Amino acid sequence: MKESTEYQALSVETLPSRLGRIDEITAHTGTDSSQWEVTEVGDGNLNLVFIVRGPAGSIIIKQALPYVRLVGDSWPLPLYRAFYEYHALTRQQQRAPGSVPEVLYFDEQQALIAMEFLEPHVILRRKLIRGEKVDGLSGFLGTFCAQTAFRGSELSMKSSNKKADVALFAGNVKIPAITEALVFTDPYFAAPMNNHTAGLDPVVTKLRDDVALKVKAQQMLQRFASNTETMVHGDLHSGSIMSTDVQSRVIDPEFVQYGPMGFDIGMLCANFLMAYFSQPAHRKDDLNDYQEWILGVIEQTCHTFESEFRQLWQTERTGMLYPATLFEDQGHDSSHACDAVLSGLWKDAWAICGIEMHRRCLSLAHNADFEDIEDTVARAPLEARNLMLGAELIHNSDTIQDSKHLCELARQFNNKDFL
Ligand code: SR1
Ligand code: MG
């Protein structure tokens, strides 16, 4: 039975009585909701997240709040983000099967999604801070990014379907607007909600005085806002990935939109680089080994992305772009065309990578990799390395050869002192 009342935020107390007669839910938890054990575990910036443990099993209930949880009700945010998250999850499941939690039930009015409880998975960012390795991580992430990028584009999709999808997701205005401001714009001036670590001022001033850097960041915003190449997750950081030691899943695509194909992989690389630069404050033993493991994940993720993308190019190029009728059917190899598409994609990715590295230290919504370092004297020089490499990537996104080159730069910047 579907809830049909006006939106009301759930609580630990009200959840059993409100959801206890929904078949799609009780099929997974058991029908006696008085036996449910409910905990609220949302530690993200926006939503309520409940674990419901029942006699028959456990599920996750995610419900959007009508405001930004991180800030409070002074910043209203539309409930419709749950609608887009639901549609993103179903598409990701089709395009990259097994990569996201199974959706069990969706109630648009209550902005509520019931989904598979991933156990014993934890947020990947926590594992990176603890120095834990995850087998198969790069293969999983590279495949996810390539499959969703390729299969959500007109390299693969029928144009009519893709354009209908672009129209559907174009309604998700206010959520991408957060990215447009917080990621692409606010880092580059003293925006009201910004904050940065004490001691970073010399580097922050340098970046904010760099007009060419601001131009490049705005060029990337222009591409983000107007290039509808594929359906992007839109917020693919290490807090949007849940892992055990051997398995991973992508969660939380409410920032979904149609955007550039290099967006997700660029943001992902940035978050691994921030994990890399923060490590000296998290461990002494095995520091070099763990930092090198992170760089290996970046290289391998990008490598997997390329090979999966090239494979899909050969086997699933059924859309209107670069059709076989124009290449193979004429006896012409299309691999140079694939090279050109990938080359443009990586240029976007490296610039977006640099911008994401900036926003997590300069704008609102920093990441725990750095924020968990309580001693700001220790934190500032690590963030400075991250910020300066970010600038290098934005300026030189056209000349970064590949992920090996990226990791070589990271090693160089990891040995520099910018303050
Ligand atoms: C106000 S929302 C801040 C950030 O949280 C989300 O996870 C996105 O990364 C967003 O930029
Ligand atoms: Mg999120």
Side-chain angles (χ1 to χ4, degrees):
M1 186 172 60
K2 190 174 184 302
E3 289 269 317
S4 60
T5 48
E6 218 173 276
Y7 171 85
Q8 235 187 323
L10 292 161
S11 68
V12 168
E13 293 74 30
T14 61
L15 188 147
S17 61
R18 288 190 52 202
L19 306 186
R21 282 175 294 135
I22 298 170
D23 295 343
E24 294 90 332
I25 290 179
T26 57
H28 297 270
T29 54
T31 48
D32 183 359
S33 63
S34 69
Q35 291 190 56
W36 291 1
E37 190 190 303
V38 182
T39 40
E40 205 276 315
V41 294
D43 64 352
N45 296 324
L46 301 178
N47 306 297
L48 294 169
V49 181
F50 300 91
I51 300 174
V52 181
R53 293 186 169 87
S58 303
I59 60 165
I60 290 288
I61 301 289
K62 178 171 178 180
Q63 188 182 34
L65 286 164
Y67 54 84
V68 175
R69 185 174 184 169
L70 173 71
V71 175
D73 54 13
S74 61
W75 186 348
L77 201 61
L79 295 170
Y80 65 48
R81 62 190 188 272
F83 171 86
Y84 295 109
E85 175 161 1
Y86 165 72
H87 284 291
L89 282 167
T90 57
R91 281 156 182 74
Q92 288 168 340
Q93 190 64 268
Q94 277 168 8
R95 294 170 193 172
S99 61
V100 297
E102 188 192 346
V103 173
L104 309 172
Y105 173 77
F106 171 57
D107 182 334
E108 185 176 353
Q109 198 167 5
Q110 296 302 321
L112 175 161
I113 305 171
M115 61 188 110
E116 176 189 1
F117 177 43
L118 299 172
E119 198 177 25
H121 303 65
V122 296
I123 291 291
L124 176 63
R125 197 186 301 286
R126 282 286 142 216
K127 289 179 91 64
L128 296 172
I129 291 169
R130 292 201 293 251
E132 297 172 7
K133 297 178 181 175
V134 178
D135 282 353
L137 183 61
S138 50
F140 169 76
L141 290 172
T143 304
F144 172 82
C145 289
Q147 290 182 342
T148 53
F150 193 94
R151 291 178 175 156
S153 77
E154 280 163 308
L155 290 166
S156 162
M157 285 177 83
K158 247 174 96 173
S159 278
S160 52
N161 292 342
K162 193 261 187 177
K163 285 172 170 77
D165 239 26
V166 171
L168 176 79
F169 286 98
N172 195 8
V173 174
K174 293 271 186 182
I175 314 303
I178 294 177
T179 305
E180 290 154 14
L182 260 53
V183 177
F184 286 97
T185 309
D186 290 3
Y188 303 104
F189 76 110
M193 288 187 298
N194 285 356
N195 70 89
H196 62 259
T197 302
L200 268 182
D201 283 348
V203 167
V204 176
T205 304
K206 194 175 162 68
L207 298 184
R208 290 188 179 152
D209 283 348
D210 185 341
V211 177
L213 187 74
K214 291 199 281 193
V215 170
K216 192 72 197 281
Q218 286 297 297
Q219 284 172 342
M220 292 315 299
L221 170 56
Q222 190 175 350
R223 282 182 65 63
F224 176 71
S226 38
N227 177 334
T228 59
E229 266 170 3
T230 194
M231 189 191 84
V232 299
H233 176 285
D235 199 25
L236 191 55
H237 52 78
S238 51
S240 296
I241 298 160
M242 294 192 73
S243 302
T244 67
D245 291 344
V246 294
Q247 193 201 62
S248 300
R249 295 282 181 268
V250 171
I251 61 166
D252 221 8
E254 69 204 304
F255 281 74
V256 59
Q257 68 170 69
Y258 271 76
M261 289 196 290
F263 186 82
D264 284 339
I265 188 111
M267 180 176 274
L268 187 60
C269 287
N271 280 271
F272 282 120
L273 286 169
M274 288 185 276
Y276 170 80
F277 283 121
S278 68
Q279 287 302 319
H282 296 307
R283 65 195 31 79
K284 300 276 171 285
D285 296 339
D286 300 333
L287 172 62
N288 186 57
D289 173 73
Y290 195 63
Q291 282 190 306
E292 283 300 313
W293 179 79
I294 295 173
L295 294 187
V297 170
I298 295 174
E299 263 197 65
Q300 282 307 311
T301 299
C302 294
H303 181 76
T304 303
F305 180 99
E306 272 243 14
S307 31
E308 181 68 18
F309 194 96
R310 287 184 188 281
Q311 174 71 17
L312 293 167
W313 181 278
Q314 294 303 335
T315 56
E316 294 189 17
R317 212 169 73 252
T318 51
M320 62 100 167
L321 291 173
Y322 305 92
T325 42
L326 203 58
F327 290 93
E328 285 79 0
D329 294 357
Q330 309 301 324
H332 296 154
D333 183 5
S334 69
S335 58
H336 291 315
C338 185
D339 292 345
V341 169
L342 279 166
S343 163
L345 184 157
W346 287 120
K347 284 175 188 167
D348 283 352
W350 306 140
I352 283 156
C353 179
I355 292 167
E356 169 75 0
M357 291 162 83
H358 285 169
R359 76 94 167 210
R360 289 291 187 188
C361 294
L362 300 179
S363 178
L364 182 77
H366 292 203
N367 56 9
D369 311 61
F370 288 125
E371 290 301 292
D372 280 6
I373 306 168
E374 281 172 20
D375 177 1
T376 55
V377 176
R379 190 202 299 163
L382 305 180
E383 289 186 315
R385 291 170 182 168
N386 173 65
L387 289 170
M388 293 305 288
L389 178 59
E392 175 89 10
L393 299 181
I394 296 166
H395 277 308
N396 298 319
S397 59
D398 290 359
T399 56
I400 308 290
Q401 289 138 28
D402 52 23
S403 55
K404 192 170 159 53
H405 184 188
L406 172 73
C407 292
E408 211 30 68
L409 288 171
R411 286 185 194 96
Q412 285 170 24
F413 278 67
N414 189 49
N415 285 319
K416 291 190 180 181
D417 186 5
F418 293 101
L419 294 174

